[in-house]
Amino acid sequence: LQVHESGPGLVNPSETLSLTCTVSGGSMSTTDYYWGWIRQPPGMGLEWIGSLYYIGTTYYNPSLKSRVTLSVDTSKNQFSLKVNSLTAADTAVYYCARFSQQLWTFDIWGQGTLVRVSS
Amino acid sequence: QSALTQPRSVSGSPGQSVTISCTGTSSDVGDYYYVSWYQHHPGKAPKVMIYDVSKRPSGVPARFSGSKSGNTASLTISGLQADDEADYYCCSYALDSSLYVFGPGTKVTVL
């Protein structure tokens, strides 16, 4: 199973970022896993953004909750991230990942996609 | 600003051992056994090396081991190899805050 992020590499400040994660090699409609987003600003550490279950249950980092929306489209085996009211501080590499409930860890990650917020 | 603290860098010669610490609080590392360690080679997908404090996923060499004492978790790499040179991040479950908190990362350099 693999996950792969896609979306724009450059977004204007104050606008909304939309990223999609495509799951291949397996179905995301399983009770064994959650699906999440993590980001890494340049020169900084990882930050968990949020996670969702295939039926649509969502969990958000409280520090980002007011600006973030996660959604899932099981028919396409995809899940998505939207971040609104962007600022330069949202510039980061965004990763999607699978969270295993058995191992209680993010066990499969995408390679990440760099998103720059700039006019 | 990370909720967990890690040393910025550690280094060792091939064959030596290095240990990376990850210090949290009684609300995260100290209270749960849900601590993971991820290896990240820049430009590649992060890889889980340790989960549940000390368990290794299939395929991860036994040279990688994890432990925890109080509010501090540790990752030890024994028999250091050139390919171990990477950034390592700890992550803990933290019910009272953001559910999953990461450390700032530690750069391991093989001399």
Side-chain angles (χ1 to χ4, degrees), chain B residues 4-5 19-35 37 52-54 65-76 92:
Chain B
L4 307 178
T5 58
T19 296
I20 304 168
S21 61
C22 171
T23 301
T25 69
S26 57
S27 296
D28 39 65
V29 175
D31 205 24
Y32 301 99
Y33 273 80
Y34 297 134
V35 177
W37 289 90
D52 286 357
V53 173
S54 60
S65 61
S67 62
K68 187 183 83 157
S69 178
N71 295 338
T72 299
S74 299
L75 172 72
T76 298
S92 174

Side-chain angles (χ1 to χ4, degrees), chain A residues 30-52:
Chain A
T30 168
T31 58
D32 295 333
Y33 305 104
Y34 282 80
W35 306 90
W37 290 94
I38 300 104
R39 71 180 183 178
Q40 183 177 29
M44 298 179 65
L46 299 168
E47 178 181 38
W48 174 69
I49 300 171
S51 297
L52 58 73

Side-chain angles (χ1 to χ4, degrees), chain A residues 16-106:
Chain A
T16 296
L17 168 66
S18 294
L19 295 176
T20 296
C21 182
T22 300
V23 180
S24 59
S27 173
M28 62 178 303
S29 299
T30 168
T31 58
D32 295 333
Y33 305 104
Y34 282 80
W35 306 90
W37 290 94
I38 300 104
R39 71 180 183 178
Q40 183 177 29
M44 298 179 65
L46 299 168
E47 178 181 38
W48 174 69
I49 300 171
S51 297
L52 58 73
Y53 203 45
Y54 77 100
I55 57 174
T57 308
T58 54
Y59 304 88
Y60 297 109
N61 186 326
S63 69
L64 297 168
K65 185 175 183 179
S66 64
R67 298 194 296 125
V68 171
T69 302
L70 301 188
S71 60
V72 61
D73 186 340
T74 54
S75 67
K76 295 182 179 179
N77 231 26
Q78 294 177 333
F79 59 103
S80 300
L81 166 71
K82 291 187 186 297
V83 184
N84 60 37
S85 304
L86 292 171
T87 69
D90 294 308
T91 294
V93 176
Y94 285 76
Y95 298 94
C96 63
R98 186 181 80 171
F99 183 86
S100 166
Q101 293 199 77
Q102 179 181 7
L103 305 185
W104 204 258
T105 192
F106 292 101

Side-chain angles (χ1 to χ4, degrees), chain B residues 2-61:
Chain B
S2 300
L4 307 178
T5 58
Q6 297 180 233
R8 181 178 291 271
S9 64
V10 298
S11 61
S13 300
Q16 289 186 331
S17 295
V18 295
T19 296
I20 304 168
S21 61
C22 171
T23 301
T25 69
S26 57
S27 296
D28 39 65
V29 175
D31 205 24
Y32 301 99
Y33 273 80
Y34 297 134
V35 177
S36 295
W37 289 90
Y38 301 95
Q39 177 191 65
H40 187 209
H41 289 104
K44 295 191 175 182
K47 176 184 177 182
V48 58
M49 307 302 283
I50 296 288
Y51 68 97
D52 286 357
V53 173
S54 60
K55 297 178 182 177
R56 281 178 290 106
S58 173
V60 172

